[in-house]
Amino acid sequence: MTVLPIATRESPLALAQARMVQRLLAEAHGVADKDAAFPIVGLTTTGDRLTDRKLIDAGGKGLFTKEIDEALYEKRAAIAVHSMKDVPTRMPDGLVLAAFLEREDPRDVLLTASGSSRIADLPHGAILGTASLRRQAQALHLRPDLEIVTLRGNVDTRLGKLRSGEVAATFLARAGLKRLGRAEADLDPLDANEMLPAVAQGIIGLAIREDDDAARDAVAPLDHLPSSLAAAAERAFLAALDGSCRTPIAAYAVLEGREMTIRGEALTPDGKQRWADRVTITLGPNAPKTACKAGYALGAKVKAAGGEALAAAVAAS
C-alpha cells in the first residue's frame, strides 16, 4: 500500500499516541513493517517551545497544530495525530478530521507530593500550578483561597515542581498518564461532577487532507463511533460559546445505547461565576448531525445564561 507518513508533536505523550496509531494502522491493514508503511514524522510546534507562559498569552490552541497542519499541506505527512482538546473548532481549509480513536478516561488527576488528593483536602492558600484556564477557574470556583501559578511542561517537569515544594499540587489528565504507562494513572481521578473535563479530552483525532483518499481509507477502520459523536457534540458546544483559550469551558458527552447526555459549563477566569447545563437526546439515523445540533444548542443556552457577565469577564482576561 501507499506509504502514509504520520505527523505528530515530539512530546513524550504525543509520540506515544503516534506509535499507538501506527500500530493500529498496521494491524488493521495486515502490514508487517509498520515503520516503513507509516513512518512517524516528529515536529516541534510553537506551543511546545512556549513553556514559560499560558497559551492565552501567545495565541491559543492552534499553537499545537500549526506546524503539523503545514506538514499535511506540504505532503510531508498524510496523517496527523492530534489530542482533540488542542484542536481549534474550525479546521483549516482543505483538512478534515477523518477518524477518532476510542476515548480514554477524560478525567483529571490532582497530584500532590504525597500522591493524589481532592481539591477540598488542599491546605488553605495552597499554591496550585496549572497553565489551563479551565482548571484554574474550576479550582477557584471550588476553593477561592487557592493561589494559582503558571505551570507547564511534561509529567516529570510537573512532578519535579511538586517534589521541590514550588507548588503544592498540579493537575494531569488521566488519559495521558495511562497512555504513557505512568504509575500515577492508578491514582484516583477527580469526579466529573466536581471537575468537568476539557472539551474532547482523552480523544485522539486523525486529520488528513480532504482530497487524500488513500489516507481516508487507511484511517477509516480506526474510527470509534461513540468517541466521534462525543467529540462532535462537545466541540459544537465550544463553538457556540466562541470558545478559545481565553474562555474557561468544559464539556462531557456520554453515550449509553442511543441516548447521549451532554454536560457543559462556562466560568469566569477567577471562578467566581459559573454557568452550567445539561441535555439528554436520542440519536437517530443521522447521529453526527443530531449530536452537533444538540451540543451547539446547549452551548448557546449556557452563553445566554452567562450573558454580559461572561462576555465581560472573558474580554478582561
Side-chain angles (χ1 to χ4, degrees), residues 295-315:
Y296 194 90
L298 185 66
K301 189 175 180 181
V302 169
K303 184 177 183 178
E308 293 183 3
L310 177 59
V314 171

Side-chain angles (χ1 to χ4, degrees), residues 20-44:
M20 180 176 68
V21 170
Q22 183 190 54
R23 174 179 56 79
L24 292 172
L25 285 168
E27 291 173 355
H29 298 285
V31 172
D33 190 344
K34 61 182 185 298
D35 292 314
F38 308 105
I40 292 175
V41 179
L43 300 167
T44 299

Side-chain angles (χ1 to χ4, degrees), residues 8-17 19 42-44 48 154 180:
T8 178
R9 294 166 57 196
E10 289 186 310
S11 72
L13 176 57
L15 287 169
Q17 292 179 164
R19 286 191 287 269
L43 300 167
T44 299
D48 294 315
N154 61 32
L180 284 169

